[in-house]
DNA sequence: GCAACAGTTTGACGCTCGTCAAACACTATG
DNA sequence: CATAGTGTTTGACGAGCGTCAAACTGTTGC
């Protein structure tokens, strides 16, 4: 039997652009996106994501928003959940968008308003 | 003397990615973006923007959000205001982002969840 | 000057959002 | 079975958002 399952998420053609932009229009979720940009799977622990200042239930809420928007996928394995970016799905649905975002976001961290 | 002026807007280096995504994460403002994608100047009248169902003060509010996020610029000429996209500024700050958005948004209108 | 015009501002309303805390499920381990 | 670990769900709270209506500012034109 399959040892792991995935949490519910929209099918690729059902990913809505405005919903994705709304999901990414929050500083915490943008930081999560950058964490996931390495293509690897990440646990949900706030300390693994540079979010020690946030309650675990808050992080769980943000990850749900990203998943329901179609940005991430969550694999359930035992008592752990592994979250990763739906890179190919997003590239299929919105070509160039993810690349532009992942280029722009770290660049802004060095040269932008917050620097 | 200059016959027209511009409403306050952030300088190009001060345009914040998360703020832009937040501004665009609303269906009304996404529609405005698509209207402005032709590069031309547009008036603020709801009927010129496919927003007859919205009050003019609501449209004014959305245009303020877009302008303060750095997405649009507003030129004041007499009793009219002409709004247009800050395309080169956005391309400078976030290369490829606007192209990806303007490619993705209309495509979704034909093949996406709403179709 | 006065009325019409284009758009903004203010105030109000309901709804959503981000956050925390506590309680809850489920899994792994003794 | 009991306990600890990982993460979710629920409820609460304040803050912000989208909308409308009305009042307001400034401009054009009679």
């Amino acid at each position: 039997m399959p040892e792991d399952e995935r949490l519910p998420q929209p099918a690729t053609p059902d990913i809505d652009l405005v919903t994705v932009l709304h999901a990414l229009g929050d500083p915490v979720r943008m930081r999560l996106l950058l964490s996931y940009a390495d293509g690897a799977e990440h646990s949900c622990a706030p300390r693994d994501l540079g979010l020690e200042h946030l309650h675990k239930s808050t992080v769980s809420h943000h990850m749900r928003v990203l998943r329901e928007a179609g940005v991430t996928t969550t694999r359930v394995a035992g008592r752990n959940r592994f979250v990763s970016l739906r890179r190919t799905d997003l590239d299929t649905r919105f070509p160039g968008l993810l690349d532009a975002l992942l280029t722009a976001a770290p660049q802004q961290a060095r040269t932008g308003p917050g620097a």
Side-chain angles (χ1 to χ4, degrees), chain A residues 14-111:
Chain A
D14 292 340
I15 300 178
D16 178 65
L17 178 62
V18 172
T19 304
V20 169
L21 297 182
H22 178 263
L24 265 23
D26 174 276
V28 171
R29 293 192 291 262
M30 178 55 73
R31 176 183 274 264
L32 287 174
L33 178 74
L34 294 181
S35 296
Y36 300 149
D38 62 3
E41 291 185 319
H42 293 257
S43 89
C44 301
R47 63 185 171 283
D48 295 347
L49 298 163
L51 299 174
E52 300 86 351
H53 55 106
L54 288 180
H55 198 277
K56 59 177 182 175
S57 64
T58 302
V59 175
S60 181
H61 160 70
H62 285 300
M63 294 196 306
R64 178 208 274 254
V65 172
L66 288 175
R67 176 171 45 82
E68 292 183 344
V71 176
T72 58
T73 186
T74 300
R75 182 172 63 90
V76 179
R79 64 186 175 190
N80 297 311
R81 277 104 200 269
F82 295 104
V83 180
S84 57
L85 201 54
R86 293 178 64 179
R87 185 183 286 268
T88 57
D89 290 341
L90 289 169
D91 285 345
T92 299
R93 186 99 182 90
F94 308 125
L97 179 60
L98 201 52
D99 285 345
L101 291 175
L102 294 180
T103 299
Q107 168 188 344
Q108 166 170 291
R110 296 193 303 272
T111 66

